[in-house]
Amino acid sequence: MIKLGVNIDHIATLREARKESFPDPLAAAREALAGGADGIVCHLREDRRHIQDKDVYGLKKMKVRLDLEMAPTAEMLAFALKIKPEMVTLVPEKRVEITTEGGLDIVKYTRKLKPIVHSLRRARIKVSLFVDPEEKQIAASAALGADFIELHTGRYAQASYVKARSAGFNKEFANLKKAAGQAVKLGLLVNAGHGLDYQNVREIAGIDGLKELNIGFAIIARAMFVGLKKATAEMKGVIK
Ligand code: PXP
């Protein structure tokens, strides 16, 4: 069974929009878990635009299975080593982006990433690298000694929003399938995420070897109408 990690960043985005104390990401995590989420994902950005340090400390206290997304920087590494989440997913980060654009360039930044990956693994934190479904990125991820990769499904998701099944959609799907197969052969565990919704997740959930899907926006958007517990349960149902 493919696991579902629910990303709760958007609850914090709403809170920070008014600089209020609510809605509470920790309460959201509880609801998502009650709806069947297998774990909670959050991204502590360098500019702290949504999730704050106190949220991550709170999640740690709740003893949830936490996947902390973060940029590969010295500040974030020190934070992760203090918190010791179950897993860290290293992602690229640009100040001006609306959301994470593109995967981490493992080929280009191998030398910078190596000590970060090693420090995290030495602290028994599983390391996942958020990468585009490209052969050279996956080979470099395996060479770096990561435990997991998370395949960036953003381009696939964009192609899926076009109503008719386009050639672009088929190409992006084929890329993801091939990348997952390559990663499994290289001994990597494979997650996927970004832009997945209640429709386009169906094909992705059928890819052999996937361990976990990390989904935020679609679930939180649906939760506005049906509540987070139900929105999470519905997504679990589709993935099944
Ligand atoms: N995985 C990673 C690495 C991400 O950066 C994000 C977005 O924060 C997601 C998954 C979830 O994407 P979405 O909110 O589009 O479902």
Side-chain angles (χ1 to χ4, degrees), residues 39-94:
I40 298 299
V41 186
C42 71
H43 184 172
L44 185 69
R45 294 187 76 104
E46 287 180 278
D47 62 9
R48 307 298 197 270
R49 72 166 77 147
H50 41 53
I51 293 289
Q52 306 294 310
D53 298 33
K54 65 173 187 221
D55 300 322
V56 188
Y57 282 110
L59 289 166
K60 175 73 187 175
K61 230 174 167 176
M62 276 171 65
K63 297 193 188 331
V64 297
R65 194 173 144 266
L66 177 63
D67 176 359
L68 177 64
E69 291 177 9
M70 61 178 221
T73 64
E75 184 213 352
M76 286 301 155
L77 173 63
F79 183 80
L81 292 175
K82 212 163 17 156
I83 291 279
K84 288 206 173 94
E86 166 115 2
M87 173 144 83
V88 160
T89 298
L90 295 174
V91 299
E93 209 172 282
K94 291 187 214 129

Side-chain angles (χ1 to χ4, degrees), residues 7 9-10 69 91 99-100 130 150 193-196 214-217:
N7 182 312
D9 293 351
H10 294 293
E69 291 177 9
V91 299
T99 181
T100 316
F130 187 49
E150 179 176 334
H194 209 284
L196 296 179
N214 292 330
I215 306 178
F217 191 75

Side-chain angles (χ1 to χ4, degrees), residues 175-230:
N175 281 347
L176 287 164
K177 216 171 156 179
K178 192 169 150 222
Q182 180 198 352
V184 168
K185 267 197 204 135
L186 290 171
L188 288 161
L189 298 163
V190 187
N191 297 335
H194 209 284
L196 296 179
D197 62 26
Y198 292 85
Q199 279 77 43
N200 67 23
V201 76
R202 289 170 197 274
E203 278 93 345
I204 296 294
I207 294 178
D208 277 346
L210 282 190
K211 295 290 176 208
E212 183 156 344
L213 297 175
N214 292 330
I215 306 178
F217 191 75
I219 294 176
I220 304 300
R222 175 93 182 123
M224 280 196 274
F225 301 101
V226 302
L228 188 47
K229 183 173 163 186
K230 187 158 190 285

